[in-house]
Amino acid sequence: MTHTIQPSNPETTPAPESTDIPATRPAGAAAAAAAVPAALKRRVPKYSDLAPLMQFKKPEFSKEARLKRASTVWELRDIAKRRTPQAPFDYTDGAAESEITLRRAREAFLDIEFRPGILRNVSSIDLSTDILGKSSRLPVGIAPTGFTRMMQSEGEYAGSQAAEAAGIPYTLSTMGTASIEDVAAAAPNGRNWFQLYLWTDRDRSLELIERAANAGNDTLMVTVDTAVAGARLRDVRNGMTIPPALTLKTVLDASYRPAWWFNFLTHEPLTFASLSRYTGTVADLINSMFDPTLTFEDLDWLRETWKGKLVVKGIQTVDDARKVVDHGADGIVLSNHGGRQLDRAPIPFHLLPEVSKALKADNSNAAIMLDTGIMSGADIIAALALGAGFTLIGRAYLYGLMAGGRAGVDRVLQILEKDMARTMALLGVSKISELTPDHVRILGR
């Protein structure tokens, strides 16, 4: 004979054997009330409970507080946009034509997958590396940028001093708005590099090279992707000139950005590291000064002339990377000029693995550097993993400069350093040399 046992319901109780005692409340409700934890029973809050939560802070509106609240380079860009007139901001922020190259360069860093290792000792992270024979505390330096004091009056002085404090290289542009000698004096203990545009007038170029050497610059970086000026349409629409012109539009723009104009008008007028004072558009200046007839023979001349480290910036193919190394370059910068020259140009981050593989096959120990599109420390770590020996930032540093001068540049470097250290720890590596291509996969490739 089979017996069936029905499961009991814990929320019900058996009916009482005797019906002589009436129930004062439903038995199920009583059990449910008894089951509610004391912590979930409502009560009137006590002041002693509320007091620790009532920590109201006085609002802070100082530059230091504003910069400290920025946790990313993008947030510094937002601050920079609010504080800088449209023409100088767009000169920094914009790129050539439809700005496809810049957009793709930034998307390239987003379209990756990190592959972390686990159970590694990452209690101490070392971000130092060697670049061109000397140590850098971080695997990133400041790229050459033109007209920098136009973005914010501290300009190249802020950049070079922030780099000196961070223990990284700073590169002064031929189109910089502080002289080679003044930058060296402002950051006497920094590692200063000089970026050269070769002019049609070779004597002027030679003069610059000699000045750079005499000022203690140990590296010459020649840019080779500016045979003619790119079509930077934001500058055209803004009527961008050097120096900025006081028109009705710029005066209206200044009405809610008075600090920028006050700094601009009360400091020394813009002058350049390497040419006399100029008035006109950026494109006209490039087209009138720079030499469109450059060949590899000119690179040979530079190699014979310059006795320090020679870097070629603007490499966009594997073949050209090999050629410039064959012609004596100690290093290359994979760069499309931040998307400011040829739109739809190759993306340096995508080109990086091919160039790294090719130079290793040639048994070359030339330094591979990369710029364009870097907006976070994770971007830098991804580039290092895929074969870069070093990286350079241009726009990212300028966003900090426009957001808060020297302090803003310091903040950019702090953000990037924190990003890099955290990313490396989560990848399971404690030093740069441990990064390999196995740590990164480019999605869709």
Side-chain angles (χ1 to χ4, degrees):
M1 182 174 180
T2 302
H3 295 276
T4 301
I5 301 175
Q6 297 292 336
S8 61
N9 186 341
E11 294 188 359
T12 61
T13 56
E17 295 181 0
S18 171
T19 58
D20 295 336
I21 304 174
T24 57
R25 60 184 298 184
V36 175
L40 298 183
K41 293 181 180 178
R42 296 194 183 277
R43 63 184 179 84
V44 176
K46 300 177 182 179
Y47 176 78
S48 59
D49 297 329
L50 294 175
L53 305 177
M54 299 169 65
Q55 298 182 10
F56 302 112
K57 294 182 179 180
K58 182 180 179 180
E60 294 184 78
F61 302 102
S62 66
K63 177 174 71 175
E64 291 73 17
R66 181 175 67 247
L67 294 173
K68 187 176 180 180
R69 285 193 293 270
S71 299
T72 67
V73 175
W74 286 108
E75 291 175 1
L76 288 172
R77 177 187 178 276
D78 291 340
I79 298 172
K81 188 173 184 178
R82 292 194 298 268
R83 299 182 63 82
T84 310
Q86 183 176 354
F89 179 83
D90 278 354
Y91 176 79
T92 299
D93 194 59
E97 301 179 41
S98 299
E99 304 188 356
I100 295 169
T101 298
L102 177 58
R103 185 165 61 251
R104 286 177 178 171
R106 285 175 171 163
E107 288 172 352
F109 286 109
L110 301 179
D111 293 339
I112 66 167
E113 176 183 86
F114 280 121
R115 295 187 164 185
I118 61 170
L119 299 177
R120 273 76 164 179
N121 182 355
V122 291
S123 58
S124 177
I125 302 297
D126 182 5
L127 292 171
S128 65
T129 191
D130 288 334
I131 182 65
L132 298 171
K134 293 185 180 180
S135 179
S136 176
R137 197 178 69 83
L138 302 174
V140 60
I142 291 182
T145 59
F147 318 115
T148 312
R149 285 182 55 234
M150 180 180 64
M151 293 30 153
Q152 202 271 356
S153 58
E154 295 176 57
E156 289 86 0
Y157 303 110
S160 60
Q161 290 174 342
E164 178 186 50
I168 64 175
Y170 172 81
T171 315
L172 175 65
S173 170
T174 297
M175 310 305 294
T177 44
S179 73
I180 299 170
E181 294 78 12
D182 285 351
V183 168
N189 298 314
R191 187 178 183 188
N192 293 319
W193 298 352
F194 183 70
Q195 177 270 337
L196 178 71
Y197 287 112
L198 273 173
W199 297 351
T200 52
D201 184 344
R202 286 292 184 272
D203 290 338
R204 296 286 301 278
S205 295
L206 184 58
E207 178 189 344
L208 282 177
I209 293 170
E210 291 174 346
R211 287 173 58 193
N214 292 336
N217 290 258
D218 63 66
T219 296
L220 184 70
M221 182 183 294
V222 58
T223 298
V224 294
D225 59 3
T226 52
V228 296
R232 303 171 192 176
L233 299 184
R234 290 205 215 182
D235 295 347
V236 174
R237 297 180 188 118
N238 290 329
M240 175 68 181
T241 61
I242 306 297
L246 282 172
T247 65
L248 177 61
K249 181 179 178 180
T250 55
V251 169
L252 291 174
D253 199 25
S255 64
Y256 54 97
R257 294 179 176 97
W260 185 94
W261 279 103
F262 178 76
N263 284 332
F264 179 77
L265 295 173
T266 58
H267 286 89
E268 181 181 332
L270 294 185
T271 54
F272 299 97
S274 53
L275 54 131
S276 57
R277 191 167 297 172
Y278 174 85
T279 300
T281 68
V282 178
D284 288 344
L285 176 59
I286 291 174
N287 289 332
S288 66
M289 299 296 296
F290 301 161
D291 189 352
T293 69
L294 292 180
T295 67
F296 284 95
E297 292 180 359
D298 296 286
L299 189 59
D300 294 334
W301 174 78
L302 270 178
R303 180 65 286 177
E304 293 175 3
T305 303
W306 176 258
K307 304 308 178 184
K309 298 295 184 180
L310 178 64
V311 173
V312 179
K313 179 178 180 289
I315 300 301
Q316 300 176 65
T317 69
V318 174
D319 286 346
D320 281 347
R322 282 177 149 159
K323 285 179 182 177
V324 298
V325 172
D326 288 343
H327 282 261
D330 298 297
I332 61 172
V333 182
L334 302 181
S335 171
N336 55 38
H337 215 102
R340 298 164 68 80
Q341 285 296 103
L342 175 66
D343 208 9
R344 301 179 180 86
I347 303 306
F349 185 68
H350 288 163
L351 184 63
L352 174 59
E354 299 175 59
V355 170
S356 177
K357 181 179 179 180
L359 293 188
K360 284 180 181 178
D362 294 343
N363 293 317
S364 170
N365 56 7
I368 301 174
M369 292 177 263
L370 178 143
D371 70 12
T372 306
I374 293 173
M375 290 291 283
S376 74
D379 297 341
I380 293 170
I381 297 303
L384 297 173
L386 288 183
F390 202 69
T391 61
L392 297 168
I393 53 169
R395 284 185 182 87
Y397 126 73
L398 293 176
Y399 292 143
L401 177 68
M402 290 185 288
R406 160 69 193 278
V409 183
D410 288 336
R411 184 59 182 151
V412 168
L413 297 176
Q414 291 165 6
I415 289 171
L416 293 179
E417 181 174 2
K418 187 175 181 180
D419 285 353
M420 287 187 282
R422 180 180 60 249
T423 302
M424 284 182 58
L426 292 174
L427 283 175
V429 298
S430 59
K431 52 188 178 181
I432 300 296
S433 60
E434 295 175 357
L435 289 166
T436 73
D438 291 337
H439 286 110
V440 177
R441 182 169 76 93
I442 299 178
L443 300 178
R445 290 191 162 217

